[in-house]
Amino acid sequence: MEIITTLAKELGIKKQQADAAVKLIDEGNTIPFIARYRKEATGALNDETLRNLFDRLNYLRNLEEKKNQALASIEEQGKLTSELRDQILAAETMVVVDDLYRPFRPKRRTRATIAKEKGLEPLANIISLQMTDKPLEEEARAFVDPEKGVNTAEEAVEGAKDIIAEYISDEADYRIRIRDLTMKKGRMVSTAKEKDMESVYEMYYEFDEALTKLAGHRILALNRGEAEKVLTVKIEAPEEEALRYLERKIISRRNPVTEPVLKAVIADSYKRLIAPAIEREIRNALTEKAEDGAILVFGKNLEQLLMQPPVTNQTVLGWDPAFRTGCKLAVVDSTGKVLDTTVIFPTAPQNKVEESKKVLKKLISQYQISLISVGNGTASRESEMVIADLLKEISADNDSAARPNVQYVIVNEAGASVYSASKLATEEFPNFDVGQRSAASIARRLQDPLAELVKIDPKSIGVGQYQHDMNQKKLGEALSGVVEDCVNKVGVDLNTASASLLEYISGISKAVAKNIVAYREENGRFTSRPQLLKVAKLGPKAYEQCAGFLRIAEGKNPLDATSVHPESYDAAKKLLEKLGFTMNDLKEGNLKGISKKISDYKQLALELEVGELTLEDIVKELEKPARDPREDMPRPILRSDVLDMKDLTPGMILKGTVRNVIDFGAFVDIGVHQDGLVHISQMTERFIKHPLEAVSVGDIVEVKVMSVDLKKQRIQLTMKL
């Protein structure tokens, strides 16, 4: 029950909501399923809250397990007091449990354990009690024993000091207080290993900032600079304050015999044992927090990219730009089928511009191409110039009736090369080379970004910072969760979806996704949702989880084309009858405005034996069957002319597309091949903590040019018009 209370408090939800969500998760339900079809139970918690709950639930359960292991181990040693038990049970983090368990953890041989083996613990106790008035050398003589390796009184005192130093270091209260003090008053300092060396880390060559103010992106940058051996990074702790605190705690008497020894021991314990460990812990904690922040931003960016609206009903020319090997082209029809592929050489070193234009004009005319999708990689700028020129020539054609209206879009091609060399791409296009596959992918990611981008490992899509430096398992799980939520929000056509898309559907594993495609190939298209139960390894639980997200157009039951779950079909049918409609009206799309016919949802829900929230969802779905939530997202900017960076002047106002959002701003594509930076301070008149409060990837924004640096290829933009 403790965990449920903690979850409710942390997430700002009711206890009943947290309890219901945990039960549903433990029963094996997926997050998208719970978010969409168990709203009554959870009080309509959305997928983001449910994922946060799931992550914290795992952490808190692991914490409970760690506490139980620590308690069992200490009890086995016969050293568990009721006070220590209470302290461990009250601990809220893994670090505090580690602090409390430290004195009882089986130790490797340390200077202190060696001193104890030499029989020096009683001498350490004499010094710690601070009661003796004899000179220490005199007390220590009794412990000289050459057979045990203690040859002199001085050696005995040194051994005793090692024992006390470790005792101080193992005291949980001291560690907690010093860690807290270091976190509040410590500073992160970095210096260059070679001051004259040019690098991207120059701003960190003489860096000094309070730990409390350190931004996540700076922490990750410092870590990378240190890993690349460009920077020396350390935490400057409030050492004097820490030493005075330890002295107050440990030196309880004014004893001229023991006081100087204890001061030396305290300094040794702090510098040799406590400070390095706390520095490691704080840096790990800061890194983890920075990674979590970066993963959150990465996830939000990825979500926006995946949820960009598809460009439908257009034949698209995918253009994968390159220099030496030529630009690969792929003509893709409105269903995603590749009609033609070729290679042209309009860029250096061949520069066959006129020859390339002839090929392009022929393709445009032959396939009625209306849109060119250009990858934003190497030679993209040069390709864009050729395309803009070509479109002017087509535009100047006298026969305006026959003239096709062609435009182009610059598409983020991150991950296209990863996909084109993958096993999946080889299976999809066995007769194509990597360039042809890449061109086809660039066309398709404009036609249906979600369906195409799910084929690529989310980490390779490149809409974040420092993704290669962070915990890859955690990043992978978070991004897979984002993809899963997006795919299930949109839903997929059961008869056309690829295995890559199907495996992200709630309840469907990779193996089952392949089995669905195999079943389709063997038996033809699905005509009803219950047919899914005939697919190998897809049992009743998987069917419950996935059915509502898989759509069947032109099936036996019109409800199969909607996101109404089969468990609610009876309620949906009764609702239609009650309102005077038939299934045919649903099929024909004649149910617009039915929500206005319902005056009392609560009463109607009771009559239909469904929850009120479920009823509202059914009504929404019947009004607009299988509505694509991506329709609300901004459409890509279609261009027909090209700007050069040297054409930009301060004060110029342009429309652009947000390509990437990072902790300190956003990069915006304004059509000059070099994205411009809008710093967080230039986004809005009001104060914002993070750029995501103002913009998202894919947003179309109006920006004003502040400055252009041609040498450094930097453009500063502002959204404060």
Side-chain angles (χ1 to χ4, degrees), residues 265-447:
V265 168
I266 287 166
D268 171 55
S269 179
Y270 175 76
K271 288 174 186 170
R272 179 169 60 87
L273 301 171
I274 299 173
I278 281 177
E279 175 163 8
R280 269 194 312 277
E281 288 163 6
I282 287 177
R283 287 199 62 187
N284 285 342
L286 288 172
T287 299
E288 198 173 327
K289 192 178 173 192
E291 283 183 356
D292 288 347
I295 288 171
L296 185 72
V297 175
F298 202 138
K300 293 276 184 200
N301 287 345
L302 179 63
E303 180 186 2
Q304 295 298 319
L305 191 64
L306 293 172
M307 294 298 279
Q308 283 187 37
V311 173
T312 53
N313 305 321
Q314 296 208 44
T315 301
V316 177
L317 177 70
W319 181 309
D320 183 14
F323 287 113
R324 189 180 49 78
T325 54
C327 300
K328 286 78 179 175
L329 308 179
V331 181
V332 180
D333 74 7
S334 58
T335 67
K337 185 182 172 190
V338 179
L339 304 175
D340 203 344
T341 64
T342 190
V343 184
I344 55 174
F345 298 89
T347 53
Q350 285 92 334
N351 294 315
K352 295 177 180 175
V353 177
E354 291 311 313
E355 194 180 304
S356 299
K357 282 182 186 173
K358 277 180 193 167
V359 174
L360 288 164
K361 283 178 182 173
K362 189 181 171 192
L363 288 173
I364 288 167
S365 167
Q366 185 180 346
Y367 296 107
Q368 291 299 292
I369 292 164
S370 51
L371 205 50
I372 302 173
S373 177
V374 190
N376 66 344
T378 312
S380 164
R381 180 76 189 149
E382 292 73 10
S383 297
E384 198 182 350
M385 304 289 255
V386 173
I387 293 165
D389 237 22
L390 173 80
L391 299 190
K392 278 178 195 157
E393 286 178 23
I394 292 173
S395 221
D397 190 332
N398 292 330
D399 186 2
S400 58
R403 187 176 73 221
N405 179 25
V406 189
Q407 291 172 297
Y408 72 90
V409 179
I410 302 293
V411 175
N412 184 342
E413 67 170 45
S417 56
V418 175
Y419 160 73
S420 57
S422 70
K423 183 171 175 267
L424 179 66
T426 312
E427 287 169 6
E428 202 174 355
F429 300 115
N431 303 320
F432 286 6
D433 64 25
V434 288
Q436 290 168 306
R437 290 175 197 149
S438 188
S441 178
I442 286 166
R444 284 173 165 187
R445 61 173 62 190
L446 186 64
Q447 292 176 319

Side-chain angles (χ1 to χ4, degrees), residues 590-605:
N590 297 333
L591 301 179
K592 286 186 178 73
I594 59 165
S595 53
K596 291 172 187 159
K597 294 182 174 238
I598 302 166
S599 53
D600 189 343
Y601 273 91
K602 197 169 192 173
Q603 182 55 40
L604 186 56

Side-chain angles (χ1 to χ4, degrees), residues 690-714:
H690 198 280
L692 280 171
E693 292 174 46
V695 293
S696 300
V697 166
D699 281 359
I700 307 299
V701 291
E702 211 162 60
V703 290
K704 183 161 72 178
V705 178
M706 290 172 71
S707 66
V708 182
D709 186 332
L710 291 170
K711 191 181 170 192
K712 288 186 175 173
Q713 290 284 291
R714 283 183 188 161

Side-chain angles (χ1 to χ4, degrees), residues 29 38 49 130 132 140 156 164 313 376 389 391 407 501 522 611:
N29 296 291
R38 292 293 177 264
T49 306
Q130 306 165 51
T132 185
I164 301 167
N313 305 321
N376 66 344
D389 237 22
L391 299 190
Q407 291 172 297
L501 196 53
E522 197 177 319

Side-chain angles (χ1 to χ4, degrees), residues 474-709:
K474 196 192 271 189
L475 176 65
E477 284 171 358
L479 298 184
S480 288
V482 170
V483 180
E484 187 184 6
D485 288 340
C486 291
V487 171
N488 287 285
K489 261 181 205 156
V490 173
V492 305
D493 185 325
L494 182 53
N495 286 311
T496 59
S498 65
S500 323
L501 196 53
L502 287 166
E503 73 184 52
Y504 281 107
I505 287 289
S506 164
I508 292 181
S509 64
K510 266 187 180 181
V512 172
K514 284 180 179 169
N515 291 347
I516 290 173
V517 174
Y519 181 91
R520 207 166 62 195
E521 284 168 0
E522 197 177 319
N523 301 286
R525 62 193 305 282
F526 285 87
T527 55
S528 74
R529 278 173 170 164
Q531 255 182 289
L532 280 162
L533 289 162
K534 293 178 182 175
V535 172
K537 295 184 181 169
L538 200 156
K541 184 69 181 177
Y543 177 72
E544 177 197 49
Q545 299 295 304
C546 74
F549 302 108
L550 296 168
R551 315 278 157 72
I552 300 170
E554 309 294 323
K556 290 176 186 171
N557 185 341
L559 286 168
D560 284 349
T562 73
S563 67
V564 176
H565 196 282
E567 67 189 10
S568 301
Y569 278 10
D570 285 346
K573 285 172 190 167
K574 283 181 197 166
L575 173 67
L576 288 173
E577 282 169 32
K578 202 162 186 55
L579 298 175
F581 292 101
T582 65
M583 284 294 217
N584 208 46
D585 288 313
L586 170 60
K587 201 173 182 180
E588 301 297 325
N590 297 333
L591 301 179
K592 286 186 178 73
I594 59 165
S595 53
K596 291 172 187 159
K597 294 182 174 238
I598 302 166
S599 53
D600 189 343
Y601 273 91
K602 197 169 192 173
Q603 182 55 40
L604 186 56
L606 284 170
E607 286 175 37
L608 299 175
E609 297 175 344
V610 290
E612 203 176 328
L613 293 168
T614 300
L615 176 60
E616 285 173 15
D617 279 349
I618 292 171
V619 171
K620 267 186 216 161
E621 192 57 28
L622 295 179
E623 277 192 305
K624 288 186 174 178
R627 180 182 167 275
D628 193 331
R630 295 175 294 176
E631 288 170 13
D632 301 334
M633 305 295 278
R635 305 250 149 212
I637 294 177
L638 306 180
R639 304 186 187 278
S640 53
D641 203 353
V642 66
L643 266 178
D644 200 293
M645 202 164 158
K646 61 179 184 291
D647 299 333
L648 297 177
T649 54
M652 191 182 272
I653 292 174
L654 301 155
K655 260 193 167 43
T657 307
V658 177
R659 289 285 179 215
N660 200 2
V661 181
I662 47 178
D663 284 343
F664 55 85
F667 287 102
V668 178
D669 171 12
I670 50 170
V672 296
H673 191 53
Q674 183 62 47
D675 292 347
L677 175 68
V678 180
H679 189 267
I680 185 169
S681 60
Q682 293 297 324
M683 287 187 164
T684 168
E685 296 295 347
R686 73 179 200 282
F687 172 76
I688 54 172
K689 282 187 173 178
H690 198 280
L692 280 171
E693 292 174 46
V695 293
S696 300
V697 166
D699 281 359
I700 307 299
V701 291
E702 211 162 60
V703 290
K704 183 161 72 178
V705 178
M706 290 172 71
S707 66
V708 182
D709 186 332

